[in-house]
Amino acid sequence: MTKPRPSVLREFLASQAGSAVLLMIAATLAMVLANLPGGGGHLYHDLIHAQFGPELTPKLGPMTVHLWINDGLMAIFFLLVGLEIKREFLDGGLSTWERRRLPIIAAVAGMVVPALVYLLVTGGQPELANGWAIPAATDIAFAIGVLALLGNRAPASLKLFLTAVAIVDDMGAVAIIALIYTQGLDMAALAGAAAVLVVMFGLNRAGVKSLIPYLIGFVLLWYLMLLSGVHATVAGVLAAMTVPIRCTPGAPDAEDSPLHKLEHAVHPWSAYLIVPLFGFANAGLALNAQVFSALLDPLPMGVALGLFLGKQLGIFGSVWAAARLGIAERPNGANWAQIYGMAMLCGIGFTMSLFIGALAFPGSALLVEEAKGGILMGSIASALGGYALLRWAAPSLR
């Protein structure tokens, strides 16, 4: 008798410490290379902006290593995000309204409050207003990774709640990318993408279980999205919604479920290759006198305070209010100090915040760099503060 394969969620929670450490190493390496003395930092920028491959669309111009990672490989990351969202809503921790209520409340508050903090700090400056969504995102890999480093000092219910909040947060981030950071739509390409999506849903309805047609459709959808003006990574989430799933509530993942098989196959590549590559290609911030002098400017401070203060206030405040008003119960086995520490960890916005930052200021390398500074400050403060609070709040182990 073969032993049942562990669910993706259990594998995910068990592996995030390793993938988070790898992401930290990649980001640190990017920072080191970007700050090599004697102009050596130019080698890093020349590497990630080197032209590679054909020009896919005049809107993007010649493809570079950076574009292939951000617009290509990250579509696979978003495919995994979409698969996780669908699984959790149909076959996981968000499969009933009772389970969804508190994570949705916390995630929405955890996006709205950081955006308000950002807008308040930036003072409504028109040239900075487009960056309001940068501190609204949570990096699930880093946040779960820090929890994993705490071991059994963080209750399992807290890890599951953070995962649920981050998944709903990802849904909000995808919607923002699709609706807010979309410019100059090509209606013909968009119609073609819609037609491909209809065919993929038709395959699902027809009972097609083979993953090959869905993967071909994903590639076509990605290319048409790239041409359409909607960010190409959204194709990953849309394609994931068409992949068939066989639900087995309360039991391990079904071996013959196409969605579960694809999720198991994609997850290691995303966690151990794609996300670290993204971190390497986007975290390289040259720490010169100009950057240091700008760290207290409205943009980096708005991002940093949005992540560090906005996230913890929005998430903890909404959980406390929901419990106080009898709308939902707090996670079992977690005290209020631990919930506050978890809310602080949600201020780690690294991957998604960097991604949105590049979309928010596409014509200004200076503003993108300032946003990076704010993301690093807010994320590091949230990681250290959340880790310290959770260690202190955990019951002593004997």
PDB file of all heavy atoms in Angstrom, residues 4-31:
ATOM      1  N   PRO A   4       0.103   7.875   1.330  1.00  0.00           N
ATOM      2  CA  PRO A   4      -0.475   9.057   0.706  1.00  0.00           C
ATOM      3  C   PRO A   4       0.533  10.198   0.658  1.00  0.00           C
ATOM      4  O   PRO A   4       1.281  10.428   1.614  1.00  0.00           O
ATOM      5  CB  PRO A   4      -1.661   9.413   1.624  1.00  0.00           C
ATOM      6  CG  PRO A   4      -1.958   8.152   2.363  1.00  0.00           C
ATOM      7  CD  PRO A   4      -0.662   7.439   2.506  1.00  0.00           C
ATOM      8  N   ARG A   5       0.551  10.887  -0.463  1.00  0.00           N
ATOM      9  CA  ARG A   5       1.459  12.017  -0.601  1.00  0.00           C
ATOM     10  C   ARG A   5       0.949  13.174   0.237  1.00  0.00           C
ATOM     11  O   ARG A   5      -0.242  13.451   0.267  1.00  0.00           O
ATOM     12  CB  ARG A   5       1.530  12.433  -2.078  1.00  0.00           C
ATOM     13  CG  ARG A   5       2.539  13.536  -2.340  1.00  0.00           C
ATOM     14  CD  ARG A   5       2.788  13.701  -3.812  1.00  0.00           C
ATOM     15  NE  ARG A   5       1.568  13.940  -4.552  1.00  0.00           N
ATOM     16  CZ  ARG A   5       1.537  14.083  -5.871  1.00  0.00           C
ATOM     17  NH1 ARG A   5       2.637  13.972  -6.573  1.00  0.00           N
ATOM     18  NH2 ARG A   5       0.391  14.307  -6.493  1.00  0.00           N
ATOM     19  N   PRO A   6       1.833  13.889   0.962  1.00  0.00           N
ATOM     20  CA  PRO A   6       1.370  15.003   1.792  1.00  0.00           C
ATOM     21  C   PRO A   6       0.777  16.097   0.920  1.00  0.00           C
ATOM     22  O   PRO A   6       1.144  16.267  -0.232  1.00  0.00           O
ATOM     23  CB  PRO A   6       2.660  15.480   2.494  1.00  0.00           C
ATOM     24  CG  PRO A   6       3.772  14.993   1.631  1.00  0.00           C
ATOM     25  CD  PRO A   6       3.286  13.710   1.031  1.00  0.00           C
ATOM     26  N   SER A   7      -0.150  16.855   1.510  1.00  0.00           N
ATOM     27  CA  SER A   7      -0.809  17.919   0.752  1.00  0.00           C
ATOM     28  C   SER A   7       0.189  19.010   0.404  1.00  0.00           C
ATOM     29  O   SER A   7       1.222  19.176   1.056  1.00  0.00           O
ATOM     30  CB  SER A   7      -1.954  18.515   1.563  1.00  0.00           C
ATOM     31  OG  SER A   7      -1.437  19.278   2.635  1.00  0.00           O
ATOM     32  N   VAL A   8      -0.159  19.785  -0.625  1.00  0.00           N
ATOM     33  CA  VAL A   8       0.699  20.900  -1.021  1.00  0.00           C
ATOM     34  C   VAL A   8       0.866  21.885   0.122  1.00  0.00           C
ATOM     35  O   VAL A   8       1.950  22.412   0.352  1.00  0.00           O
ATOM     36  CB  VAL A   8       0.108  21.607  -2.260  1.00  0.00           C
ATOM     37  CG1 VAL A   8       0.863  22.892  -2.567  1.00  0.00           C
ATOM     38  CG2 VAL A   8       0.182  20.682  -3.466  1.00  0.00           C
ATOM     39  N   LEU A   9      -0.220  22.142   0.866  1.00  0.00           N
ATOM     40  CA  LEU A   9      -0.137  23.105   1.956  1.00  0.00           C
ATOM     41  C   LEU A   9       0.862  22.656   3.007  1.00  0.00           C
ATOM     42  O   LEU A   9       1.687  23.456   3.470  1.00  0.00           O
ATOM     43  CB  LEU A   9      -1.518  23.309   2.591  1.00  0.00           C
ATOM     44  CG  LEU A   9      -1.578  24.316   3.740  1.00  0.00           C
ATOM     45  CD1 LEU A   9      -1.088  25.685   3.267  1.00  0.00           C
ATOM     46  CD2 LEU A   9      -2.972  24.410   4.308  1.00  0.00           C
ATOM     47  N   ARG A  10       0.845  21.355   3.374  1.00  0.00           N
ATOM     48  CA  ARG A  10       1.816  20.872   4.365  1.00  0.00           C
ATOM     49  C   ARG A  10       3.239  20.943   3.819  1.00  0.00           C
ATOM     50  O   ARG A  10       4.173  21.308   4.525  1.00  0.00           O
ATOM     51  CB  ARG A  10       1.454  19.448   4.798  1.00  0.00           C
ATOM     52  CG  ARG A  10       0.263  19.388   5.744  1.00  0.00           C
ATOM     53  CD  ARG A  10       0.097  18.006   6.346  1.00  0.00           C
ATOM     54  NE  ARG A  10      -0.410  17.052   5.361  1.00  0.00           N
ATOM     55  CZ  ARG A  10      -1.699  16.861   5.128  1.00  0.00           C
ATOM     56  NH1 ARG A  10      -2.597  17.570   5.767  1.00  0.00           N
ATOM     57  NH2 ARG A  10      -2.093  15.975   4.237  1.00  0.00           N
ATOM     58  N   GLU A  11       3.414  20.575   2.553  1.00  0.00           N
ATOM     59  CA  GLU A  11       4.743  20.701   1.936  1.00  0.00           C
ATOM     60  C   GLU A  11       5.174  22.163   1.912  1.00  0.00           C
ATOM     61  O   GLU A  11       6.330  22.503   2.172  1.00  0.00           O
ATOM     62  CB  GLU A  11       4.715  20.143   0.513  1.00  0.00           C
ATOM     63  CG  GLU A  11       4.655  18.625   0.429  1.00  0.00           C
ATOM     64  CD  GLU A  11       4.753  18.145  -1.008  1.00  0.00           C
ATOM     65  OE1 GLU A  11       4.624  18.983  -1.927  1.00  0.00           O
ATOM     66  OE2 GLU A  11       4.951  16.942  -1.215  1.00  0.00           O
ATOM     67  N   PHE A  12       4.226  23.036   1.582  1.00  0.00           N
ATOM     68  CA  PHE A  12       4.501  24.465   1.475  1.00  0.00           C
ATOM     69  C   PHE A  12       5.004  25.019   2.805  1.00  0.00           C
ATOM     70  O   PHE A  12       6.028  25.693   2.871  1.00  0.00           O
ATOM     71  CB  PHE A  12       3.218  25.178   1.050  1.00  0.00           C
ATOM     72  CG  PHE A  12       3.339  26.667   0.944  1.00  0.00           C
ATOM     73  CD1 PHE A  12       3.975  27.239  -0.133  1.00  0.00           C
ATOM     74  CD2 PHE A  12       2.786  27.489   1.904  1.00  0.00           C
ATOM     75  CE1 PHE A  12       4.080  28.605  -0.242  1.00  0.00           C
ATOM     76  CE2 PHE A  12       2.888  28.860   1.798  1.00  0.00           C
ATOM     77  CZ  PHE A  12       3.536  29.421   0.712  1.00  0.00           C
ATOM     78  N   LEU A  13       4.260  24.710   3.888  1.00  0.00           N
ATOM     79  CA  LEU A  13       4.645  25.214   5.202  1.00  0.00           C
ATOM     80  C   LEU A  13       5.978  24.646   5.651  1.00  0.00           C
ATOM     81  O   LEU A  13       6.765  25.317   6.306  1.00  0.00           O
ATOM     82  CB  LEU A  13       3.552  24.892   6.223  1.00  0.00           C
ATOM     83  CG  LEU A  13       2.205  25.588   6.007  1.00  0.00           C
ATOM     84  CD1 LEU A  13       1.185  25.058   7.000  1.00  0.00           C
ATOM     85  CD2 LEU A  13       2.331  27.095   6.129  1.00  0.00           C
ATOM     86  N   ALA A  14       6.250  23.380   5.281  1.00  0.00           N
ATOM     87  CA  ALA A  14       7.504  22.739   5.701  1.00  0.00           C
ATOM     88  C   ALA A  14       8.699  23.264   4.937  1.00  0.00           C
ATOM     89  O   ALA A  14       9.815  23.292   5.440  1.00  0.00           O
ATOM     90  CB  ALA A  14       7.391  21.229   5.510  1.00  0.00           C
ATOM     91  N   SER A  15       8.483  23.710   3.687  1.00  0.00           N
ATOM     92  CA  SER A  15       9.620  24.075   2.835  1.00  0.00           C
ATOM     93  C   SER A  15       9.933  25.559   2.824  1.00  0.00           C
ATOM     94  O   SER A  15      10.960  25.969   2.289  1.00  0.00           O
ATOM     95  CB  SER A  15       9.351  23.629   1.393  1.00  0.00           C
ATOM     96  OG  SER A  15       8.287  24.383   0.831  1.00  0.00           O
ATOM     97  N   GLN A  16       9.056  26.389   3.394  1.00  0.00           N
ATOM     98  CA  GLN A  16       9.236  27.822   3.242  1.00  0.00           C
ATOM     99  C   GLN A  16      10.456  28.367   3.955  1.00  0.00           C
ATOM    100  O   GLN A  16      10.992  29.394   3.554  1.00  0.00           O
ATOM    101  CB  GLN A  16       7.978  28.568   3.692  1.00  0.00           C
ATOM    102  CG  GLN A  16       6.826  28.475   2.716  1.00  0.00           C
ATOM    103  CD  GLN A  16       7.233  28.889   1.317  1.00  0.00           C
ATOM    104  OE1 GLN A  16       7.665  30.015   1.081  1.00  0.00           O
ATOM    105  NE2 GLN A  16       7.127  27.970   0.376  1.00  0.00           N
ATOM    106  N   ALA A  17      10.894  27.722   5.035  1.00  0.00           N
ATOM    107  CA  ALA A  17      12.104  28.207   5.698  1.00  0.00           C
ATOM    108  C   ALA A  17      13.281  28.144   4.738  1.00  0.00           C
ATOM    109  O   ALA A  17      14.052  29.100   4.608  1.00  0.00           O
ATOM    110  CB  ALA A  17      12.385  27.377   6.950  1.00  0.00           C
ATOM    111  N   GLY A  18      13.428  27.002   4.018  1.00  0.00           N
ATOM    112  CA  GLY A  18      14.530  26.866   3.070  1.00  0.00           C
ATOM    113  C   GLY A  18      14.423  27.834   1.914  1.00  0.00           C
ATOM    114  O   GLY A  18      15.413  28.473   1.527  1.00  0.00           O
ATOM    115  N   SER A  19      13.235  27.986   1.337  1.00  0.00           N
ATOM    116  CA  SER A  19      13.082  28.888   0.190  1.00  0.00           C
ATOM    117  C   SER A  19      13.243  30.341   0.612  1.00  0.00           C
ATOM    118  O   SER A  19      13.772  31.159  -0.147  1.00  0.00           O
ATOM    119  CB  SER A  19      11.719  28.668  -0.474  1.00  0.00           C
ATOM    120  OG  SER A  19      10.663  28.957   0.404  1.00  0.00           O
ATOM    121  N   ALA A  20      12.793  30.681   1.836  1.00  0.00           N
ATOM    122  CA  ALA A  20      12.965  32.048   2.324  1.00  0.00           C
ATOM    123  C   ALA A  20      14.445  32.375   2.508  1.00  0.00           C
ATOM    124  O   ALA A  20      14.895  33.479   2.181  1.00  0.00           O
ATOM    125  CB  ALA A  20      12.207  32.249   3.627  1.00  0.00           C
ATOM    126  N   VAL A  21      15.205  31.410   3.046  1.00  0.00           N
ATOM    127  CA  VAL A  21      16.652  31.633   3.208  1.00  0.00           C
ATOM    128  C   VAL A  21      17.316  31.818   1.848  1.00  0.00           C
ATOM    129  O   VAL A  21      18.173  32.695   1.665  1.00  0.00           O
ATOM    130  CB  VAL A  21      17.287  30.448   3.968  1.00  0.00           C
ATOM    131  CG1 VAL A  21      18.807  30.519   3.895  1.00  0.00           C
ATOM    132  CG2 VAL A  21      16.820  30.439   5.416  1.00  0.00           C
ATOM    133  N   LEU A  22      16.908  31.004   0.862  1.00  0.00           N
ATOM    134  CA  LEU A  22      17.466  31.140  -0.485  1.00  0.00           C
ATOM    135  C   LEU A  22      17.135  32.503  -1.087  1.00  0.00           C
ATOM    136  O   LEU A  22      17.972  33.135  -1.740  1.00  0.00           O
ATOM    137  CB  LEU A  22      16.925  30.023  -1.379  1.00  0.00           C
ATOM    138  CG  LEU A  22      17.555  29.873  -2.770  1.00  0.00           C
ATOM    139  CD1 LEU A  22      19.055  29.633  -2.657  1.00  0.00           C
ATOM    140  CD2 LEU A  22      16.894  28.730  -3.525  1.00  0.00           C
ATOM    141  N   LEU A  23      15.912  32.985  -0.842  1.00  0.00           N
ATOM    142  CA  LEU A  23      15.524  34.309  -1.321  1.00  0.00           C
ATOM    143  C   LEU A  23      16.354  35.392  -0.651  1.00  0.00           C
ATOM    144  O   LEU A  23      16.787  36.348  -1.304  1.00  0.00           O
ATOM    145  CB  LEU A  23      14.028  34.523  -1.058  1.00  0.00           C
ATOM    146  CG  LEU A  23      13.426  35.866  -1.476  1.00  0.00           C
ATOM    147  CD1 LEU A  23      13.681  36.150  -2.953  1.00  0.00           C
ATOM    148  CD2 LEU A  23      11.933  35.884  -1.183  1.00  0.00           C
ATOM    149  N   MET A  24      16.609  35.248   0.643  1.00  0.00           N
ATOM    150  CA  MET A  24      17.462  36.209   1.350  1.00  0.00           C
ATOM    151  C   MET A  24      18.866  36.235   0.764  1.00  0.00           C
ATOM    152  O   MET A  24      19.470  37.302   0.581  1.00  0.00           O
ATOM    153  CB  MET A  24      17.532  35.852   2.840  1.00  0.00           C
ATOM    154  CG  MET A  24      16.256  36.051   3.618  1.00  0.00           C
ATOM    155  SD  MET A  24      16.488  35.555   5.350  1.00  0.00           S
ATOM    156  CE  MET A  24      14.801  35.227   5.854  1.00  0.00           C
ATOM    157  N   ILE A  25      19.394  35.040   0.475  1.00  0.00           N
ATOM    158  CA  ILE A  25      20.743  34.957  -0.098  1.00  0.00           C
ATOM    159  C   ILE A  25      20.781  35.637  -1.457  1.00  0.00           C
ATOM    160  O   ILE A  25      21.717  36.391  -1.773  1.00  0.00           O
ATOM    161  CB  ILE A  25      21.187  33.485  -0.212  1.00  0.00           C
ATOM    162  CG1 ILE A  25      21.388  32.883   1.181  1.00  0.00           C
ATOM    163  CG2 ILE A  25      22.467  33.357  -1.030  1.00  0.00           C
ATOM    164  CD1 ILE A  25      21.635  31.388   1.167  1.00  0.00           C
ATOM    165  N   ALA A  26      19.757  35.387  -2.289  1.00  0.00           N
ATOM    166  CA  ALA A  26      19.707  35.992  -3.623  1.00  0.00           C
ATOM    167  C   ALA A  26      19.625  37.506  -3.527  1.00  0.00           C
ATOM    168  O   ALA A  26      20.308  38.231  -4.273  1.00  0.00           O
ATOM    169  CB  ALA A  26      18.509  35.445  -4.395  1.00  0.00           C
ATOM    170  N   ALA A  27      18.793  38.011  -2.612  1.00  0.00           N
ATOM    171  CA  ALA A  27      18.652  39.461  -2.453  1.00  0.00           C
ATOM    172  C   ALA A  27      19.945  40.079  -1.923  1.00  0.00           C
ATOM    173  O   ALA A  27      20.367  41.153  -2.373  1.00  0.00           O
ATOM    174  CB  ALA A  27      17.493  39.768  -1.506  1.00  0.00           C
ATOM    175  N   THR A  28      20.592  39.391  -0.974  1.00  0.00           N
ATOM    176  CA  THR A  28      21.857  39.896  -0.431  1.00  0.00           C
ATOM    177  C   THR A  28      22.929  39.920  -1.513  1.00  0.00           C
ATOM    178  O   THR A  28      23.710  40.892  -1.619  1.00  0.00           O
ATOM    179  CB  THR A  28      22.311  39.010   0.748  1.00  0.00           C
ATOM    180  OG1 THR A  28      21.298  39.000   1.747  1.00  0.00           O
ATOM    181  CG2 THR A  28      23.615  39.537   1.337  1.00  0.00           C
ATOM    182  N   LEU A  29      22.986  38.860  -2.332  1.00  0.00           N
ATOM    183  CA  LEU A  29      23.966  38.813  -3.417  1.00  0.00           C
ATOM    184  C   LEU A  29      23.733  39.968  -4.395  1.00  0.00           C
ATOM    185  O   LEU A  29      24.700  40.594  -4.861  1.00  0.00           O
ATOM    186  CB  LEU A  29      23.863  37.471  -4.150  1.00  0.00           C
ATOM    187  CG  LEU A  29      24.815  37.261  -5.338  1.00  0.00           C
ATOM    188  CD1 LEU A  29      26.268  37.363  -4.875  1.00  0.00           C
ATOM    189  CD2 LEU A  29      24.560  35.907  -5.991  1.00  0.00           C
ATOM    190  N   ALA A  30      22.469  40.261  -4.690  1.00  0.00           N
ATOM    191  CA  ALA A  30      22.153  41.379  -5.581  1.00  0.00           C
ATOM    192  C   ALA A  30      22.648  42.692  -4.986  1.00  0.00           C
ATOM    193  O   ALA A  30      23.218  43.528  -5.700  1.00  0.00           O
ATOM    194  CB  ALA A  30      20.650  41.443  -5.839  1.00  0.00           C
ATOM    195  N   MET A  31      22.442  42.878  -3.683  1.00  0.00           N
ATOM    196  CA  MET A  31      22.901  44.103  -3.021  1.00  0.00           C
ATOM    197  C   MET A  31      24.418  44.215  -3.058  1.00  0.00           C
ATOM    198  O   MET A  31      24.972  45.292  -3.298  1.00  0.00           O
ATOM    199  CB  MET A  31      22.406  44.117  -1.572  1.00  0.00           C
ATOM    200  CG  MET A  31      20.904  44.255  -1.431  1.00  0.00           C
ATOM    201  SD  MET A  31      20.313  45.918  -1.840  1.00  0.00           S
ATOM    202  CE  MET A  31      20.954  46.839  -0.448  1.00  0.00           C
TER     203      MET A  31
END
